[in-house]
Amino acid sequence: MTTIRDLMSPEPLTVRPEQTVDQALELLIEHEISGLPVVDGNGRIVGVVSEKDLLKLFSAPGARTVADIMTSEPVAIHVDGALVEVFDCLMAHD
């Protein structure tokens, strides 16, 4: 059985809530990825910022930080879970 741990990056790129939207966008473009975990000062995941979240800039032009646009309280799956759990989660939570 393939697990999430088998495919995940052991040290993913992350951003902090206080970083600017421009900094997050730069990382997405530079590393050709579609999303980043948002972590607090203790490394705890507090959100996710994705290409979809960046579209919020069109309806919230005053947004300046990652915290302004990120998806809070992301759904998480244990790293030893089966890979199929990721697909089920994506289908259930868009």
Side-chain angles (χ1 to χ4, degrees):
M1 167 184 75
T2 302
T3 66
I4 296 163
R5 183 186 306 272
D6 294 332
L7 299 178
M8 66 181 271
S9 299
E11 295 183 33
L13 292 172
T14 62
V15 289
R16 303 270 308 264
E18 65 273 8
Q19 284 184 260
T20 67
V21 170
D22 288 343
Q23 289 172 319
L25 183 58
E26 239 176 75
L27 284 172
L28 292 174
I29 293 169
E30 179 182 339
H31 296 278
E32 298 180 350
I33 54 178
S34 61
L36 293 161
V38 182
V39 298
D40 65 14
N42 296 318
R44 186 177 68 91
I45 295 177
V46 296
V48 175
V49 66
S50 68
E51 293 170 332
K52 183 177 177 180
D53 293 316
L54 290 167
L55 292 175
K56 294 176 187 174
L57 293 173
F58 291 106
S59 62
R64 298 286 178 250
T65 67
V66 169
D68 293 334
I69 62 166
M70 72 182 193
T71 298
S72 300
E73 301 178 23
V75 176
I77 302 171
H78 194 275
V79 295
D80 292 319
L83 188 58
V84 70
E85 289 182 52
V86 173
F87 301 117
D88 291 342
C89 183
L90 289 171
M91 294 303 290
H93 299 283
D94 191 31

